[in-house]
Amino acid sequence: MSISRRELFVGGLAAAGASALTLRADALPTLPSGTLKHYPEFQALADAPLPFVPPAALPGTAKPTEDNILGPYFREGAPYRAKVTPPLAKGVPMLIRGRVWGFDTKKPLAGAVLDIWQADADGRYDNDDPRNPPAKGVYVNRTRVLTDETGYYEFETVHPGAYKTGPDTWRPAHIHYLVRKTGYTNLVTQLYFKGDPRNAADEFIKASLIITLEPAKVGGGTIETGVFDVVLSAAPPKK
Ligand code: MBD
Ligand code: FE
């Protein structure tokens, strides 16, 4: 019997619930790539080790990234995807990229987990209206991404709107980060944008967390691009 990927997934979810996924008992292993005899053009790839990546080094002057307030709108458990916003979301498209580094080793950290969350272009979080909470398992303008073997991450999003905090007070555009890597202290921080007119009046912003966006022409339009490197402090030794 042949079972589609989707059935494996749905069957596992329905049978066990998302907290304890179990593969159905009659599932077969996915065909190993070592048996690609019908696809000789893929054999070299199947046999190849991961490419060697030359190590990058953190400048000796770099300091651990400063923390910043968590805010009221974090949700644990966002899906892994390299796009924060839904398809065709309103707003100026933005690409953010960077590396996660260990302050102790000055080396990039592979497999660090970044939780990213933000307001949409109208300044709304998916969970900021208690009368209209998001469905369980539905995450809008939130993602998790992993760093690759060079510590690199990137995500696509849109420029966040300012968030209204009172009759005439706003938070400047910002993107929340929670960065976690075993052996390092979890970092809760935020990213801000140079030139935002609301930066000056914000009570939480820190100068070291402001990046400069560069315009880039893509297809028929212009997007914003920015770089945000994250430097983590080693966790204190356990007593
Ligand atoms: C926010 O989005 C936020 O990040 C903080 C710190 C306070 C209110 C709204
Ligand atoms: Fe916020």
Side-chain angles (χ1 to χ4, degrees), residues 49-70:
L50 276 173
F52 172 73
V53 180
L58 183 69
T61 52
K63 294 192 182 70
T65 301
E66 287 195 90
D67 63 6
N68 207 209
I69 188 169
L70 177 67

Side-chain angles (χ1 to χ4, degrees), residues 68-73 117-119 123 125 128 161-165 170-172 174-176 190 192 202-204:
N68 207 209
I69 188 169
L70 177 67
Y73 300 126
W117 70 105
Q118 66 170 87
Y125 288 86
D128 67 8
Y163 185 87
K164 204 165 197 295
T165 51
W170 285 264
R171 298 222 57 223
H174 61 280
I175 298 179
H176 293 270
Q190 298 184 32
Y192 301 88
D202 189 58
E203 59 180 306
F204 302 114

